[in-house]
Amino acid sequence: MPKPPDTPIPSPPSVSPLSAAGDRHFDGLAEKFAESLYGGVRGELRLALLDRLLPELLALQGQPVLDVGGGLGQLAGWFAGRGHAVTLVEPSGEMLARARESLEGRGVSFLQAPLQVLPELAPGPWPLIACHAVLEWLADPRAALATLAGRLAPGGQLSLMVFNRDALRFSNVVKGNLEKALADRLAGKGLRRRLTPISPLTHAQITTWSAELGLEVRAVAGVRIFHDYLRMPPESDADRAALLELEWRYCRFDPHWRLGRYLLYTLVRPETPPPLAEEPGT
């Protein structure tokens, strides 16, 4: 009796494919996301620095907060713990389920939606919007910033954190990826399990876009300005504490903040729009 042909084993479905808009969502990657970004020293540093920076960079008065791309809910929990009513918006159902579980009973409301539909589902105006580590995962980050700006109330604040393209280049050079850095092949593709953003951003882009959208840059800081360039990660509690103090001491000083893995901004919509420039000859 002839041996039946082997049945081909189907390939597993691609993890976290790009959305129709070309954005990177994180369904199927919540566990990796949690372990990679928050399961070690770098996640501890990011949260510890935000805990210190946000009260300095923002005028916090218990106002409602729209947390866009809120992921696992760490930032929403931080605001909720300080008396803010938080609406967490997240496109990934898996990430949102984890956030619901961790924030149960904290007074946070949840909305599963991508950033692009905020004008319909959460139009505002909002006195405070947080959007941390989101724009770098979108195909059109400039349009996304415009959408966020349009949701701000006059005098409203946008706490924006983005993945720093210049730091990514420096990190690649430190690792010996010289040709990759020379060719500026820094962005990820967003099609596999790697967590390199598809649209890493520069400080110049943020300042230019903000000016075009009528937003003022009130403050900027670098998050993880030293950690990602260490040859050996800190092992002892004393070393981790020393690293945190170094990060804190220099995170707002030029030139150090410019090489933070993330750049943290406070952008404000002025109470009164700036006057229009006069036409030549008037």
Side-chain angles (χ1 to χ4, degrees):
M1 182 176 181
K3 181 180 178 181
D6 292 335
T7 302
I9 300 174
S11 300
S14 60
V15 176
S16 190
L18 298 178
S19 72
D23 303 335
R24 179 75 184 270
H25 296 169
F26 290 96
D27 280 311
L29 283 178
E31 186 66 32
K32 178 178 174 63
F33 190 92
E35 291 179 358
S36 178
L37 297 185
Y38 293 105
V41 175
R42 61 179 179 172
E44 294 174 8
L45 277 174
R46 173 170 160 177
L47 295 177
L49 287 165
L50 288 177
D51 186 55
R52 294 189 184 189
L53 282 167
L54 292 178
E56 288 203 359
L57 271 56
L58 297 170
L60 299 176
Q61 302 166 339
Q63 62 269 61
V65 177
L66 181 68
D67 181 13
V68 180
L72 298 172
Q74 290 95 337
L75 190 61
W78 189 92
F79 281 112
R82 286 154 181 79
H84 298 264
V86 183
T87 300
L88 189 159
V89 183
E90 167 60 44
S92 166
E94 183 180 355
M95 299 284 276
L96 198 65
R98 285 178 172 244
R100 285 181 185 273
E101 183 179 356
S102 65
L103 296 172
E104 186 176 2
R106 301 284 298 277
V108 177
S109 58
F110 302 89
L111 178 62
Q112 184 176 356
L115 182 149
Q116 290 88 345
V117 301
L118 291 178
E120 292 78 34
L121 299 184
W126 293 87
L128 179 55
I129 298 175
C131 185
H132 286 195
V134 175
L135 263 60
E136 60 263 27
W137 298 106
L138 306 182
D140 192 346
R142 200 278 184 194
L145 184 57
T147 297
L148 296 171
R151 313 281 70 74
L152 278 176
Q157 303 168 95
L158 169 60
S159 180
L160 180 73
M161 188 165 74
V162 300
F163 196 93
N164 183 2
R165 187 181 186 96
D166 293 326
L168 182 59
R169 179 181 297 103
F170 198 88
S171 178
N172 270 282
V173 173
V174 169
K175 294 174 182 177
N177 300 325
L178 306 184
E179 292 299 326
K180 183 176 180 180
L182 277 173
D184 204 37
R185 297 195 311 271
L186 304 175
K189 302 294 186 182
L191 298 177
R192 295 191 294 172
R193 297 183 64 87
R194 297 178 64 89
L195 294 178
T196 302
I198 64 174
S199 299
L201 298 165
T202 66
H203 176 62
Q205 286 176 303
I206 297 301
T207 55
T208 298
W209 296 345
S210 297
E212 293 170 351
L213 296 168
L215 301 178
E216 295 180 0
V217 179
R218 293 283 176 87
V220 61
V223 175
R224 296 206 327 251
I225 59 177
F226 297 123
H227 169 272
D228 290 38
Y229 310 111
L230 294 178
R231 293 183 179 180
M232 296 291 292
E235 295 182 354
S236 69
D237 291 343
D239 284 346
R240 286 194 291 271
L243 178 58
L244 174 59
E245 287 309 308
L246 278 168
E247 297 276 1
W248 171 245
R249 182 177 299 180
Y250 294 104
C251 66
R252 299 184 67 184
F253 281 87
D254 202 356
H256 303 296
W257 67 262
R258 295 178 180 273
L259 280 180
R261 179 50 58 104
Y262 294 93
L263 299 177
L264 177 66
Y265 298 87
T266 298
L267 307 178
V268 176
R269 176 170 295 287
E271 294 276 1
T272 304
L276 297 175
E278 291 187 359
E279 294 292 335
T282 60

